[in-house]
């Protein structure tokens, strides 16, 4: 009847429904927000996160200077993320915003870029009522507690880079405590995984040298254990946290396998998979200091050397208890990395 059909007076046409939909989108966009946006989408974490987000949405926006599709339906937005206008444009219309940016590994760059960038992200998320997921590392933790790091480990950064990370996390959590922002911190140990080019210490110091027949370069104490987070695990876990309402407004350690290996044991595991001898050099702090005069990268690593001098154990039991998800065992993760990135090339070289 006409009464049942409401104000239309008759069944609405497809065109009329389209007009109504567009009006609602213009005046009430927050009702229909499904877009999930990754700022800094081209790195190893951003790529794994983009893959994992397809379990929750098909509206995925990838933002960096030169974004490339990870999934067929990805929305690409080229942008300089140090420009607040670009950040505002990227965040607009987003339900969840993930920060996986990796600025160049230079202390001055971090000091100049991170606070300014995070301030712009926070402001944009507040303006457009978007939730924020910040992918973080453990640099701000007190080095006295590296032998068992949890979400409650004291914040006392021993390095300049750590102080920058502590500063930006405080900026985010201050807004959370004030009730002006919904956000969470997804924290990772040093990471490893397939498809990583230059941003994994394990790749650079152990895997790559062994692949070419050289000795692994073990920084610090080769008998100290060291946790690593598998990047596919980190991507899936970050996506899960971002799509779990009660996960917000707190810190999470991303799933990381327990009982980490020593430098010697990592070398033995990787060498055995490659079919080579587990040989290694021990690199002490003085050697890194000398190399720093010739290599800018080694100069930047020097202040982080403390992480390799004693046991480094990253505890993710909070995540595992909440979600019932276990991290990929180390021997399986290493096998995937080598098969994906190295073993086929070794076989081709032998032909």
């Amino acid at each position: 009847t006409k009464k049942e059909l409401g104000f239309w007076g008759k069944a609405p046409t497809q065109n009329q429904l389209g007009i109504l939909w567009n009006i609602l989108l213009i005046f009430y966009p927050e009702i229909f927000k499904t877009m999930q946006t990754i700022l800094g989408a081209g790195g190893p974490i951003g790529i794994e996160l983009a893959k994992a987000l397809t379990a929750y949405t098909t509206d995925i926006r990838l933002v960096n200077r030169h974004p490339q599709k990870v999934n067929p339906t990805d929305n690409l937005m080229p942008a300089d993320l140090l420009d607040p206008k670009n950040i505002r444009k990227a965040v607009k219309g987003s339900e969840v915003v993930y920060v996986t940016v990796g600025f160049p590994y230079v202390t001055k760059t971090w000091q100049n870029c991170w606070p300014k960038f995070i301030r712009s992200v926070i402001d944009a998320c507040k303006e457009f009522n978007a939730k924020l997921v910040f992918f973080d590392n453990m640099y701000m933790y007190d080095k006295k507690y590296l032998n068992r790091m949890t979400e409650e480990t004291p914040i006392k950064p021993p390095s300049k880079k750590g102080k920058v990370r502590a500063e930006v996390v405080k900026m985010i959590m201050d807004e959370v405590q004030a009730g002006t922002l919904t956000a969470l911190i997804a924290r990772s140990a040093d990471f490893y995984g397939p498809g990583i080019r230059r941003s994994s210490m394990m790749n650079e110091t152990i895997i790559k040298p062994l692949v070419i027949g050289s000795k692994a370069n073990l920084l610090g104490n080769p008998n100290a254990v060291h946790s690593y987070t598998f990047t596919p695990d980190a991507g899936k876990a970050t996506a899960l946290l971002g799509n779990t309402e009660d996960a917000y407004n707190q810190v999470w350690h991303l799933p990381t396998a327990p009982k980490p290996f020593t430098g010697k044991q990592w070398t033995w595991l990787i060498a055995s998979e490659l079919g080579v001898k587990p040989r290694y050099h021990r690199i002490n702090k003085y050697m890194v200091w000398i190399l720093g005069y010739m290599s800018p990268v080694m100069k930047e690593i020097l202040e982080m050397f403390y992480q390799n001098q004693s046991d480094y154990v990253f505890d993710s039991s909070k995540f595992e208890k909440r979600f019932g998800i276990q991290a990929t065992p180390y021997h399986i993760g290493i096998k995937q990395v080598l098969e994906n990135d190295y073993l086929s090339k070794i076989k081709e070289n032998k032909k």
Side-chain angles (χ1 to χ4, degrees), residues 36 55 77 123-124 198 204 226 253 262 295:
Q36 302 205 20
M77 181 180 289
D123 290 346
R198 297 184 183 87
E204 300 302 318
H226 198 102
H253 278 189
T262 66
S295 168

Side-chain angles (χ1 to χ4, degrees), residues 52 69 72 89 93 107 119 128 144 190 206 224 328:
K69 285 190 176 184
K89 182 179 177 182
T107 298
R119 182 75 263 160
F128 297 111
K144 294 178 182 178
D190 287 345
I206 303 178
T328 300

